[in-house]
Amino acid sequence: IFNDSHKSELNYRRYYMKELSQKAQLTVEDVQLLLGVSQSHAYKVIRELNKELTDKGFYVVRGKVSQKFFNEKFYGINRWED
């Protein structure tokens, strides 16, 4: 059974996930929410993914990661493919 604070948290998460789907780049806060990890671990994940992109010749923004690449690496899918 959910009380009002649980319901508002669920509504916030639904809203945030909808907004998140519109972003091209994920921030550390986004990665924290998606993976349920600490801020330091989220930064580590972003650094590792960005290193892989850099090694492939892509430009990256420090502290952010491509949502498309993140989804491919963590879920093995690209949600935006037709």
Side-chain angles (χ1 to χ4, degrees), residues 20-32:
L20 192 61
S21 69
Q22 305 297 317
K23 294 174 128 184
Q25 297 281 320
L26 299 176
T27 64
V28 69
E29 291 85 8
D30 301 331
V31 173
Q32 278 184 267

Side-chain angles (χ1 to χ4, degrees), residues 13-39:
R13 285 183 178 266
R14 284 187 193 117
Y15 171 80
Y16 189 80
M17 295 305 281
K18 183 179 177 185
E19 292 295 312
L20 192 61
S21 69
Q22 305 297 317
K23 294 174 128 184
Q25 297 281 320
L26 299 176
T27 64
V28 69
E29 291 85 8
D30 301 331
V31 173
Q32 278 184 267
L33 178 69
L34 289 168
L35 300 180
V37 296
S38 67
Q39 185 180 43

Side-chain angles (χ1 to χ4, degrees), residues 3-77:
N3 62 28
D4 288 337
S5 69
H6 286 106
K7 288 178 185 176
S8 63
E9 174 68 20
L10 288 174
N11 287 335
Y12 171 76
R13 285 183 178 266
R14 284 187 193 117
Y15 171 80
Y16 189 80
M17 295 305 281
K18 183 179 177 185
E19 292 295 312
L20 192 61
S21 69
Q22 305 297 317
K23 294 174 128 184
Q25 297 281 320
L26 299 176
T27 64
V28 69
E29 291 85 8
D30 301 331
V31 173
Q32 278 184 267
L33 178 69
L34 289 168
L35 300 180
V37 296
S38 67
Q39 185 180 43
S40 62
H41 190 74
Y43 274 119
K44 180 180 177 186
V45 168
I46 290 172
R47 276 193 305 273
E48 291 173 1
L49 292 175
N50 281 342
K51 169 114 174 60
E52 192 170 334
L53 285 169
T54 302
D55 292 345
K56 291 180 177 186
F58 292 95
Y59 291 103
V60 298
V61 177
R62 284 181 64 174
K64 294 185 177 188
V65 66
S66 160
Q67 182 167 177
K68 180 179 176 185
F69 190 65
F70 176 89
N71 287 334
E72 289 171 359
K73 295 304 283 188
F74 277 89
Y75 306 116
I77 57 166

